[in-house]
Amino acid sequence: MNTVSGFSKMTKEQKIEWLSLQLKGDASTLVRNMPHYWHQDKEVQKRFDEFSENTLTNYNLPFGLAPNFLINGKVYAVPMVIEESSVVAAASLGAKFWLERGGFKANVLSTTKVGQVHFQWQGDKEKLQQYFVETKEELLKSVTHITMNMNQRGGGIKNLTLIDMTDKLENYYQLKVEAETCNAMGANFINSVLEEMAKTLKEGISKEPRFTNTEKEMHVIMCILSNYTPECVVECSVECPIEDLGTFAGNMPAQEFAEKFATAVRIAEIDPNRAVTHNKGIMNGVDAVVIATGNDFRAIEACAHAYAARDGQYRSLSSVSLAGEKFKFSIKIPLAIGTVGGLTSLHPLAKTSLAILENPTAPELMQIMAAVGLAQNFGAVKSLVTTGIQKGHMKLHLLNIFKQLDATNEQIEKGKEYFSDKVVSFTAVRDFLKNN
Ligand code: MEV
């Protein structure tokens, strides 16, 4: 591959042309075919292009729907964007099962988000603390032009603290801003507040007569929100009499299923190797809704996993109790998401997703995401402790292989029957097609 300058200034067509000339054979043809995935409506395509930089084309993912989610007494049909087979099916199946058993009970525990000004300052700590206490109101006042709108919506800065971190890193302090950002994810709001406050604090310190010349220098390292939001958490649970689980457990007796299920979750609580996969199953559901609604899945992922390790060991985000003949399955997960701002209104399909969900508030969307994560986890663990995960996966895998080998509809129907009790592999399917 050659280097290039001025790439960002090229048109999309020129970028594709340049790239295709760098490649040979199939790779070059594939790149030349990229315009095939452009949106036919030029205005829509322009909008997609502008979300990012150096865009060449669109990368399509399936947009599915998991209906019948009863959450706090309200029924939702949940949009899910995910490329993995079986995820939407499992969510839908779980939703249907719990629909008939009171549905999901969800509760937002808190919605506080955090930002930090990281800075270094050398001098008498007591003097800095005292200065902070005396000028805290001024600091807050210096950002009213940014916070005014958020305050009117019932949000804004809820807490401002100076944290001495000098025992961890020489001269290192943090200005910690805790904020309520209402229906916005709040990254822009928090980052703007932080940068403005850092400026005010630095300027104030530089002019403060009580400080020596060295103390008059504040070195701002960075101002940024924290994606770790252990105070922006939702919990969600489902429960039913253990005997009800029989209908979901296939041939397994309900009590045995409940115990095996609880043990599987317990294993994810004590073993990080299993916990990561267990939580990945939860995130299959959560991320699909996060992406469908135009939220930031990297932030959600990073935070969920840090939260799963909050006591020093990585553990399951969900838990089970089998007390008093009752099966109770619950999840607690931080979800710093938004229903206004960012991509939520710019991406036509994010907007559509929110409309399908009847334009929820951010806390309501947190509840929906947690319910989908729990349903997903319920479906995955159920499959694992009963039939095994491959059975469901293999059905779709089988179809994919048939498609790759250009099987006819008749061959596919016959093949589904044939492979219902056999191991699916590419070779086995090819051999089957030779004889059928
Ligand atoms: C696959 O995407 C997700 C599972 O591995 C989750 C789990 O093991 O619990 C099935």
Side-chain angles (χ1 to χ4, degrees):
M1 186 72 59
N2 291 309
T3 58
V4 56
S5 56
F7 186 71
S8 65
K9 306 268 178 334
M10 291 182 193
T11 64
K12 230 167 32 189
E13 287 83 353
Q14 288 167 334
K15 288 187 180 94
I16 290 176
E17 174 71 9
W18 176 84
L19 182 59
S20 70
L21 290 174
Q22 305 302 306
L23 300 161
K24 290 193 188 78
D26 280 355
S28 180
T29 312
L30 286 170
V31 169
R32 278 187 194 283
N33 197 32
M34 281 178 138
H36 182 68
Y37 303 97
W38 288 350
H39 199 281
Q40 63 208 18
D41 182 330
K42 285 205 167 83
E43 279 308 303
V44 175
Q45 185 55 49
K46 187 165 174 283
R47 182 166 283 202
F48 288 156
D49 289 344
E50 286 168 358
F51 288 150
S52 179
E53 303 78 34
N54 290 347
T55 41
L56 303 179
T57 192
N58 305 315
Y59 188 108
N60 295 323
L61 290 173
F63 182 120
L65 192 74
N68 299 321
F69 265 93
L70 176 63
I71 305 167
N72 294 345
K74 179 172 171 184
V75 177
Y76 298 87
V78 184
M80 297 177 74
V81 171
I82 185 154
E83 85 298 350
E84 186 175 331
S85 62
S86 307
V87 169
V88 179
S92 307
L93 215 68
K96 191 79 191 293
F97 179 81
W98 292 110
L99 174 72
E100 287 142 25
R101 289 164 184 84
F104 296 79
K105 303 278 180 296
N107 184 22
V108 172
L109 301 178
S110 49
T111 52
T112 307
K113 290 157 192 167
V114 174
Q116 299 156 307
V117 175
H118 303 268
F119 69 94
Q120 284 184 304
W121 183 85
Q122 196 180 345
D124 180 343
K125 288 179 190 185
E126 308 277 300
K127 266 160 81 183
L128 182 66
Q129 277 295 353
Q130 192 52 35
Y131 175 78
F132 173 71
V133 171
E134 286 169 26
T135 56
K136 189 170 159 178
E137 280 314 307
E138 247 172 74
L139 264 181
L140 288 167
K141 247 192 234 145
S142 75
V143 292
T144 43
H145 59 293
I146 304 170
T147 56
M148 212 153 47
N149 276 346
M150 196 60 91
N151 288 343
Q152 271 163 14
R153 282 184 263 151
I157 300 169
K158 298 294 165 197
N159 210 3
L160 180 63
T161 36
L162 176 69
I163 303 176
D164 178 358
M165 302 282 286
T166 52
D167 58 331
K168 304 248 169 21
L169 182 68
E170 208 177 4
N171 304 328
Y172 171 42
Y173 295 85
Q174 290 178 353
L175 195 61
K176 182 180 175 194
V177 174
E178 287 163 80
E180 170 55 59
T181 60
C182 304
N183 287 328
M185 191 263 190
N188 281 337
F189 171 77
I190 292 177
N191 289 333
S192 304
V193 162
L194 294 171
E195 289 185 9
E196 193 64 26
M197 272 192 183
K199 245 194 261 166
T200 311
L201 187 61
K202 187 175 166 67
E203 209 176 298
I205 284 178
S206 74
K207 292 186 183 142
E208 176 59 35
R210 84 184 78 180
F211 291 138
T212 63
N213 279 348
T214 308
E215 288 172 337
K216 280 192 166 77
E217 281 176 35
M218 168 184 166
H219 301 280
V220 177
I221 307 295
M222 57 192 162
C223 306
I224 186 74
L225 97 156
S226 169
N227 286 123
Y228 187 50
T229 55
E231 295 303 330
C232 185
V233 174
V234 54
E235 67 182 4
C236 180
S237 63
V238 283
E239 62 176 70
C240 71
I242 289 178
E243 63 187 319
D244 272 20
L245 294 168
T247 52
F248 203 68
N251 295 328
M252 198 179 279
Q255 184 66 33
E256 184 188 340
F257 170 74
E259 283 168 19
K260 222 175 153 188
F261 190 104
T263 306
V265 177
R266 186 79 197 110
I267 291 169
E269 280 168 354
I270 58 176
D271 172 34
N273 278 314
R274 172 59 201 148
V276 171
T277 320
H278 180 95
N279 288 343
K280 189 271 183 187
I282 292 173
M283 300 317 283
N284 275 345
V286 172
D287 282 343
V289 189
V290 170
I291 296 172
T293 54
N295 276 287
D296 180 343
F297 61 92
R298 287 85 57 210
I300 296 300
E301 281 281 337
C303 183
H305 299 297
Y307 188 74
R310 65 194 178 283
D311 74 359
Q313 186 188 314
Y314 189 94
R315 300 178 191 281
S316 163
L317 289 164
S318 62
S319 58
V320 175
S321 115
L322 297 182
E325 309 293 303
K326 272 225 160 117
F327 173 87
K328 181 169 180 187
F329 188 36
S330 45
I331 185 170
K332 212 164 149 190
I333 184 169
L335 289 169
I337 49 86
T339 54
V340 296
L343 218 60
T344 56
S345 49
L346 289 178
H347 195 298
L349 287 170
K351 204 170 168 178
T352 308
S353 295
L354 290 165
I356 294 171
L357 293 170
E358 298 176 48
N359 295 315
T361 60
E364 194 181 347
L365 185 57
M366 287 167 76
Q367 294 173 346
I368 296 168
M369 288 171 178
V372 177
L374 191 65
Q376 209 63 55
N377 192 211
F378 183 63
V381 176
K382 173 244 165 185
S383 295
L384 289 169
V385 301
T386 55
T387 55
I389 208 73
Q390 283 309 83
K391 193 165 182 241
H393 278 184
M394 278 305 153
K395 259 197 224 160
L396 282 143
H397 186 48
L398 178 63
L399 274 183
N400 285 340
I401 300 177
F402 275 139
K403 277 182 215 147
Q404 275 176 49
L405 293 171
D406 294 324
T408 63
N409 284 343
E410 198 187 328
Q411 283 174 317
I412 294 177
E413 282 317 308
K414 244 176 149 180
K416 277 196 216 161
E417 175 78 32
Y418 176 80
F419 281 103
S420 63
D421 58 355
K422 292 184 184 57
V423 176
V424 176
S425 73
F426 193 84
T427 319
V429 177
R430 196 181 46 202
D431 290 346
F432 167 82
L433 289 178
K434 268 188 208 150
N435 303 320
N436 288 277

